Amino acid sequence: MPTSATNQMEMEIAQVQNSLSHLFFTFSISFLFFSIIVLFLRSRPWCNCHICKTYLSFSWRSEFSNFSDWYTHLLKKSATGTVHIHVLGTTITANPANVQHMLKTRFENYPKGKQFSSILGDFLGHGIFNSDGDMWRFQRKMASLELGSVSVRSYAFKIVSTEINDRLIPFLRSISGRSNSGTVDIQDLFRRFALDTICKISFGLDPGCLDLDLPMSDFANAFDTASRLSALRATTTAPIVWKLKRFLNVGSEKELKHAIKIIDGLAQAVIRQRRKIGFSTGHDLLSRFMGAVQEQVDDKFLRDIVVSFLLAGRDTVASGLTTFFLLLSQNPAVAAAIREEIETNKKDGVLCPGQLNNMHYVHAALYENLRLYPPVQFDSKFSAEDDVLPDGTFIRKGTRVMYHPYAMGRMESIWGEDCMEFKPERWLRDGVFTPESLFKYTVFQAGPRVCIGKELSIMEMKTVIVAIMLRFNIDVLMSKEKPQFALGLTASIKGGVQARILHQS
């Protein structure tokens, strides 16, 4: 009996323990779920205003093919050129005075911010596009010294010219020689070209992407995926959602993690190769950077530099070239004027930087293209302290403040009633290219963060444009359709851009 009573007691104790364990587990799960709900509710205010309801219901899609077109519509209707998306905790502006206030006057109050760094941190790390303070200043100083040197610009021009003459032109010639006129996706073509050139300029590597018989590399696809999914994070009204998905390694966050693993693998291979070969005599940007900093930085920091170079040199150049030839197909008079200027300035079919500098109309047409289709359609900062913008808009501490180059290029208040026209002449004074204020033309940012690779990218795009137009007509098949942009950190057109390549007669 004592033994039986003892066993019964032990069983009862075990049952109580199991019940308590179950109760504790249930309580823990309930508390976690409740905490997530509270964080979700507190992360963004609920709002029933028309703009927020339109955003949350996606009803803007019934009228606008692109998110940026809806933003443009809102900003045009606003008396101040500024609107609020309350459920995102975001203020958006297309007012040049506000832009100058953010990017110059109160620069220190509008850093990228920890929120932005969190969104893009897995992809961009602490690279120049995703850092503030001393980290940003250090990278900015180093990059400015290298990109501003005559030797680097000469080295870059030589690489671009070689890539054009040895690969791009022969490929286009082979396409144009096909029966019934060959077609090609020029967006894919320019992405491959830009990846080849930036890898050569930045790392001394040749990925050989312009061999179009080969599929785009896993790395290039991973880079596109990382850009798209990182941008997706920024569109959610509750950051806790993507953070929880990342913690659980599910859905889009699992896909993003896989893409970043591929990117990290290539970056590490590039760095190892540089260390093995040596960087003291290398002309590429990474060798120069490593030689300048010596042992001051680790491979993780160099990895972030590699990714930043690629983002700046591949996606933006490819985007700019794609929309340029799209607009040119819609505006034959501009194409004719460009060819006339090229014929006037060319010398034995050989291009040099001096000749490119004399082509003011080409320069104006490129700037006009970037006005209408900036490769980076918007840029965000986070307010460090309460502030008031020049138009009277109150900005609470921690608010995401976005200026919108895409919308700014379509504002009548900035560019006049003909703002939607592709009109290179607006940039010319007595036939000479004359730039506008960077606070109204924000394609290259402005203030202390103005793009330091601007001259390099303009040189590359102008060289490609002139080389192609000397020899070919690019007839974009979708020239009458309004482009629809895919989600990403830089502008890319959904489904690609098919074009017919024809020999210039």
Side-chain angles (χ1 to χ4, degrees), residues 436-452:
E436 294 282 358
S437 164
L438 291 178
F439 300 111
K440 62 183 282 188
Y441 183 76
T442 53
V443 173
F444 298 104
Q445 291 212 47
R449 277 192 181 264
V450 68
C451 177
I452 51 180

mmCIF file of all heavy atoms in Angstrom, residues 436-452:
data_model
loop_
_atom_site.group_PDB
_atom_site.id
_atom_site.type_symbol
_atom_site.label_atom_id
_atom_site.label_comp_id
_atom_site.label_asym_id
_atom_site.label_seq_id
_atom_site.Cartn_x
_atom_site.Cartn_y
_atom_site.Cartn_z
ATOM 1 N N GLU A 436 21.313 72.955 -63.957
ATOM 2 C CA GLU A 436 20.390 73.594 -63.029
ATOM 3 C C GLU A 436 20.838 73.310 -61.595
ATOM 4 O O GLU A 436 21.724 72.493 -61.364
ATOM 5 C CB GLU A 436 18.970 73.058 -63.252
ATOM 6 C CG GLU A 436 18.363 73.413 -64.598
ATOM 7 C CD GLU A 436 17.846 74.846 -64.637
ATOM 8 O OE1 GLU A 436 17.921 75.540 -63.609
ATOM 9 O OE2 GLU A 436 17.356 75.256 -65.711
ATOM 10 N N SER A 437 20.188 73.963 -60.647
ATOM 11 C CA SER A 437 20.476 73.733 -59.240
ATOM 12 C C SER A 437 20.244 72.264 -58.891
ATOM 13 O O SER A 437 19.238 71.662 -59.298
ATOM 14 C CB SER A 437 19.581 74.608 -58.364
ATOM 15 O OG SER A 437 19.573 74.152 -57.023
ATOM 16 N N LEU A 438 21.165 71.674 -58.147
ATOM 17 C CA LEU A 438 21.024 70.279 -57.735
ATOM 18 C C LEU A 438 19.868 70.081 -56.767
ATOM 19 O O LEU A 438 19.448 68.943 -56.525
ATOM 20 C CB LEU A 438 22.323 69.788 -57.086
ATOM 21 C CG LEU A 438 23.529 69.624 -58.023
ATOM 22 C CD1 LEU A 438 24.747 69.173 -57.232
ATOM 23 C CD2 LEU A 438 23.227 68.635 -59.137
ATOM 24 N N PHE A 439 19.335 71.167 -56.214
ATOM 25 C CA PHE A 439 18.211 71.036 -55.285
ATOM 26 C C PHE A 439 16.870 70.971 -56.016
ATOM 27 O O PHE A 439 15.857 70.646 -55.412
ATOM 28 C CB PHE A 439 18.221 72.186 -54.277
ATOM 29 C CG PHE A 439 19.481 72.227 -53.450
ATOM 30 C CD1 PHE A 439 20.405 73.245 -53.605
ATOM 31 C CD2 PHE A 439 19.756 71.217 -52.542
ATOM 32 C CE1 PHE A 439 21.578 73.268 -52.859
ATOM 33 C CE2 PHE A 439 20.925 71.222 -51.796
ATOM 34 C CZ PHE A 439 21.838 72.253 -51.955
ATOM 35 N N LYS A 440 16.866 71.254 -57.309
ATOM 36 C CA LYS A 440 15.671 71.019 -58.125
ATOM 37 C C LYS A 440 15.874 69.824 -59.056
ATOM 38 O O LYS A 440 14.926 69.167 -59.437
ATOM 39 C CB LYS A 440 15.283 72.274 -58.917
ATOM 40 C CG LYS A 440 16.318 72.757 -59.901
ATOM 41 C CD LYS A 440 15.877 74.060 -60.598
ATOM 42 C CE LYS A 440 14.866 73.829 -61.681
ATOM 43 N NZ LYS A 440 14.587 75.054 -62.473
ATOM 44 N N TYR A 441 17.152 69.567 -59.393
ATOM 45 C CA TYR A 441 17.507 68.409 -60.206
ATOM 46 C C TYR A 441 18.290 67.466 -59.299
ATOM 47 O O TYR A 441 19.508 67.521 -59.199
ATOM 48 C CB TYR A 441 18.350 68.854 -61.403
ATOM 49 C CG TYR A 441 18.724 67.737 -62.363
ATOM 50 C CD1 TYR A 441 17.782 67.236 -63.257
ATOM 51 C CD2 TYR A 441 20.006 67.208 -62.390
ATOM 52 C CE1 TYR A 441 18.126 66.225 -64.155
ATOM 53 C CE2 TYR A 441 20.356 66.195 -63.275
ATOM 54 C CZ TYR A 441 19.408 65.715 -64.161
ATOM 55 O OH TYR A 441 19.738 64.705 -65.041
ATOM 56 N N THR A 442 17.554 66.590 -58.598
ATOM 57 C CA THR A 442 18.138 65.825 -57.488
ATOM 58 C C THR A 442 18.608 64.430 -57.893
ATOM 59 O O THR A 442 18.787 63.564 -57.041
ATOM 60 C CB THR A 442 17.111 65.705 -56.348
ATOM 61 O OG1 THR A 442 15.881 65.186 -56.889
ATOM 62 C CG2 THR A 442 16.835 67.056 -55.717
ATOM 63 N N VAL A 443 18.809 64.221 -59.178
ATOM 64 C CA VAL A 443 19.220 62.900 -59.682
ATOM 65 C C VAL A 443 20.518 62.435 -59.025
ATOM 66 O O VAL A 443 20.690 61.246 -58.736
ATOM 67 C CB VAL A 443 19.379 62.955 -61.213
ATOM 68 C CG1 VAL A 443 19.980 61.656 -61.745
ATOM 69 C CG2 VAL A 443 18.040 63.237 -61.879
ATOM 70 N N PHE A 444 21.424 63.374 -58.782
ATOM 71 C CA PHE A 444 22.728 63.026 -58.198
ATOM 72 C C PHE A 444 22.828 63.461 -56.741
ATOM 73 O O PHE A 444 23.913 63.687 -56.215
ATOM 74 C CB PHE A 444 23.849 63.669 -59.014
ATOM 75 C CG PHE A 444 23.907 63.207 -60.440
ATOM 76 C CD1 PHE A 444 23.443 64.012 -61.468
ATOM 77 C CD2 PHE A 444 24.391 61.951 -60.758
ATOM 78 C CE1 PHE A 444 23.484 63.587 -62.786
ATOM 79 C CE2 PHE A 444 24.436 61.505 -62.073
ATOM 80 C CZ PHE A 444 23.975 62.326 -63.086
ATOM 81 N N GLN A 445 21.683 63.575 -56.068
ATOM 82 C CA GLN A 445 21.627 64.134 -54.717
ATOM 83 C C GLN A 445 22.191 65.554 -54.725
ATOM 84 O O GLN A 445 22.324 66.185 -55.775
ATOM 85 C CB GLN A 445 22.338 63.241 -53.706
ATOM 86 C CG GLN A 445 21.629 61.931 -53.433
ATOM 87 C CD GLN A 445 21.841 61.447 -52.006
ATOM 88 O OE1 GLN A 445 21.713 62.201 -51.047
ATOM 89 N NE2 GLN A 445 22.143 60.163 -51.868
ATOM 90 N N ALA A 446 22.535 66.070 -53.552
ATOM 91 C CA ALA A 446 23.059 67.429 -53.436
ATOM 92 C C ALA A 446 23.656 67.579 -52.042
ATOM 93 O O ALA A 446 23.507 66.707 -51.188
ATOM 94 C CB ALA A 446 21.949 68.458 -53.662
ATOM 95 N N GLY A 447 24.346 68.690 -51.820
ATOM 96 C CA GLY A 447 24.952 68.924 -50.512
ATOM 97 C C GLY A 447 26.121 67.998 -50.256
ATOM 98 O O GLY A 447 26.743 67.469 -51.192
ATOM 99 N N PRO A 448 26.429 67.724 -48.989
ATOM 100 C CA PRO A 448 27.582 66.887 -48.648
ATOM 101 C C PRO A 448 27.526 65.464 -49.202
ATOM 102 O O PRO A 448 28.560 64.825 -49.364
ATOM 103 C CB PRO A 448 27.558 66.860 -47.104
ATOM 104 C CG PRO A 448 26.880 68.134 -46.720
ATOM 105 C CD PRO A 448 25.836 68.362 -47.781
ATOM 106 N N ARG A 449 26.322 64.967 -49.499
ATOM 107 C CA ARG A 449 26.193 63.600 -50.026
ATOM 108 C C ARG A 449 26.057 63.566 -51.543
ATOM 109 O O ARG A 449 25.674 62.538 -52.107
ATOM 110 C CB ARG A 449 24.985 62.898 -49.396
ATOM 111 C CG ARG A 449 25.275 62.285 -48.025
ATOM 112 C CD ARG A 449 24.122 61.376 -47.616
ATOM 113 N NE ARG A 449 24.332 60.782 -46.312
ATOM 114 C CZ ARG A 449 24.836 59.580 -46.091
ATOM 115 N NH1 ARG A 449 25.206 58.829 -47.106
ATOM 116 N NH2 ARG A 449 24.986 59.116 -44.869
ATOM 117 N N VAL A 450 26.364 64.660 -52.237
ATOM 118 C CA VAL A 450 26.248 64.657 -53.695
ATOM 119 C C VAL A 450 27.074 63.502 -54.269
ATOM 120 O O VAL A 450 28.135 63.153 -53.748
ATOM 121 C CB VAL A 450 26.704 66.019 -54.279
ATOM 122 C CG1 VAL A 450 28.199 66.233 -54.102
ATOM 123 C CG2 VAL A 450 26.321 66.133 -55.747
ATOM 124 N N CYS A 451 26.580 62.897 -55.329
ATOM 125 C CA CYS A 451 27.190 61.694 -55.906
ATOM 126 C C CYS A 451 28.619 61.958 -56.373
ATOM 127 O O CYS A 451 28.849 62.788 -57.257
ATOM 128 C CB CYS A 451 26.339 61.196 -57.072
ATOM 129 S SG CYS A 451 27.034 59.771 -57.931
ATOM 130 N N ILE A 452 29.577 61.235 -55.821
ATOM 131 C CA ILE A 452 30.983 61.438 -56.197
ATOM 132 C C ILE A 452 31.351 60.641 -57.452
ATOM 133 O O ILE A 452 32.396 60.877 -58.053
ATOM 134 C CB ILE A 452 31.941 61.052 -55.046
ATOM 135 C CG1 ILE A 452 31.620 59.654 -54.524
ATOM 136 C CG2 ILE A 452 31.890 62.073 -53.940
ATOM 137 C CD1 ILE A 452 32.511 59.206 -53.387
#
